[in-house]
Amino acid sequence: MDIFKIRSLFPILDEKVHGKKPLIYLDNAATSQTPTPVVEAIESAYFHRKANVHRGVHCLSQMATTAMETGRDAVRRFIGASSSSEIIFTRGTTEALNLVASSFGELLYPGDLVILTQMEHHSNIVPWQLLQARRGIRIKVVPVLDDGTLDMEVYARLLEESPRIVSVTQISNVLGTVNPIRRMAEMAHDAGAVFVCDGAQGVAHEQVDVEALGVDFYAFSAHKMYGPTGIGALYGKRELLEKMPPYQGGGEMIGHVSFDHGTTWADLPYKFEAGTPDFVGAAAIASAIDFMENTAGIEAMKAHEDALLQYATDKMKEAIPDIRIYGTAPDKASLISFLIPGAHHYDTGVLLDQLGIAVRTGHHCAQPLMERFGIEGTVRASFAVYNTFQEIDTFIQALVRVNSMLR
Ligand SMILES: *Cc1c(COP(=O)(O)O)cnc(C)c1O
């Protein structure tokens, strides 16, 4: 992997913050930067091909439709689905999870059990709570152990209560924990439940194969995997999607609309894509996938990020021996959540920013997890394919300075 060539595709990495410091971007778990080919795909669509999809007979509309469907097929192949009809474009992970909770939720009854975990992002909690309020389902939660892994014994016990749905994140956006999704999905199926996977962090860091993982639904956002914002996808098994009622109503999702004879739905995946989709974003995802697969290489990207994680963790502990790191699972993705003892996470983040380093601070949309660890928030440094060991060195030097300023 040629890191200099990769970095040259991200002009934003040459930006200066506060007028002087070169930007070191370590907030990749919130959103990753976008390489030139993806931006060019978006620009080219607006300059040369902007027309609504599916409706027009004219040339531009057909080109736009082809570009969007090429994007859909790229997503299908990228995550190992067998049919494009199983790929529904959404605004992102959040909308994809809302779609499942809302639409599959219509098939649940009062008292039905949904199992979540203590490490879920709010977008894999709140849609289920809305369903709980609407349909009287029950929610039970798999606890997180001290090292940031899930309590699999409690999980096995909860499965004995015959849940209808289990919904779990592939990788924790706070702890970095990579959950044993294949095993968890198998266990859920043995208990008769449907398995939903939040792949928002997963797709950005490893090769995903939804069929090998054995998940029934898989949700992700393009903006965390070098793609545009405002677009993501839901993978769903065909036989489940077919049973589910539409999520939203409008254009594009209908077979025929009539006031007198009832309205019918379009075939999959269009049944779940009401209204004009983000056809520009959908097409541009193909470029993001091409960047990950062919410019970076997924295996090389993962190896590089793992090495950055190991290096940064070692250096951090060496520089500030009593630093508190949250999430020490053996299988961990490339992010570090930490606190300098006695210092507020926000102050740490603001001072790091002054030194040119972008990190995230706060609860990371995972307040139940914060409660579990008895904290209000953490500082999170998260790494991507374009980060360098030199940047980690600068980050650690800055952290040492901040440490001495704050205590
Ligand atoms: C970012 C994230 C989400 C939400 O993604 P959006 O793009 O904001 O919809 C959900 N789950 C996890 C684990 C995330 O990291």
Side-chain angles (χ1 to χ4, degrees), residues 84-150:
S84 293
S85 64
E86 298 180 312
I87 307 297
I88 297 157
F89 282 122
T90 64
R91 279 194 295 125
T93 311
T94 302
E95 191 182 35
L97 292 169
N98 273 277
L99 193 164
V100 179
S102 176
S103 170
F104 196 87
E106 290 295 308
L107 309 175
L108 302 192
Y109 294 98
D112 278 353
L113 180 63
V114 172
I115 295 180
L116 307 175
T117 84
Q118 216 170 16
M119 68 167 75
E120 297 311 310
H121 187 283
H122 293 166
S123 67
N124 195 25
I125 299 174
V126 184
W128 303 107
Q129 291 179 324
L130 293 173
L131 183 68
Q132 183 175 40
R134 212 166 63 238
R135 294 194 67 87
I137 58 145
R138 293 175 302 137
I139 295 173
K140 291 203 175 180
V141 180
V142 181
V144 169
L145 301 173
D146 288 342
D147 68 351
T149 56
L150 290 172

Side-chain angles (χ1 to χ4, degrees), residues 262-401:
T263 291
T264 59
W265 317 134
D267 288 337
L268 292 173
Y270 309 110
K271 177 171 104 176
F272 292 105
E273 293 181 352
T276 299
D278 177 5
F279 51 84
V280 171
I285 287 188
S287 303
I289 291 173
D290 181 62
F291 167 76
M292 288 175 77
E293 289 183 334
N294 301 320
T295 309
I298 306 233
E299 289 306 315
M301 181 182 84
K302 183 166 172 5
H304 177 65
E305 290 176 358
D306 286 349
L308 289 174
L309 173 68
Q310 191 59 52
Y311 185 74
T313 307
D314 292 347
K315 291 276 164 185
M316 198 184 265
K317 287 199 245 177
E318 203 177 290
I320 309 174
D322 65 345
I323 199 152
R324 290 209 297 265
I325 293 178
Y326 294 88
T328 53
D331 196 0
K332 181 175 169 176
S334 60
L335 62 86
I336 308 177
S337 268
F338 64 93
L339 285 174
I340 295 174
H344 196 277
H345 53 84
Y346 180 76
D347 297 336
T348 309
V350 167
L351 289 173
L352 284 172
D353 175 61
Q354 293 293 322
L355 298 168
I357 292 151
V359 292
R360 170 102 190 259
T361 68
H363 56 63
H364 315 291
C365 300
Q367 283 177 331
L369 186 63
M370 297 297 114
E371 204 178 306
R372 151 72 180 83
F373 283 100
I375 53 180
E376 275 175 22
T378 69
V379 186
R380 181 186 68 191
S382 51
F383 315 119
V385 66
Y386 40 68
N387 289 125
T388 64
F389 292 94
Q390 208 181 345
E391 285 182 319
I392 305 284
D393 287 338
T394 312
F395 162 55
I396 300 295
Q397 282 160 17
L399 200 59
V400 168
R401 264 184 76 183

Side-chain angles (χ1 to χ4, degrees), residues 202-223:
V203 276
H205 297 292
E206 52 187 68
Q207 185 75 59
V208 171
D209 185 326
V210 288
E211 292 189 356
L213 283 173
V215 299
D216 298 298
F217 294 99
Y218 189 88
F220 68 93
S221 306
H223 72 93

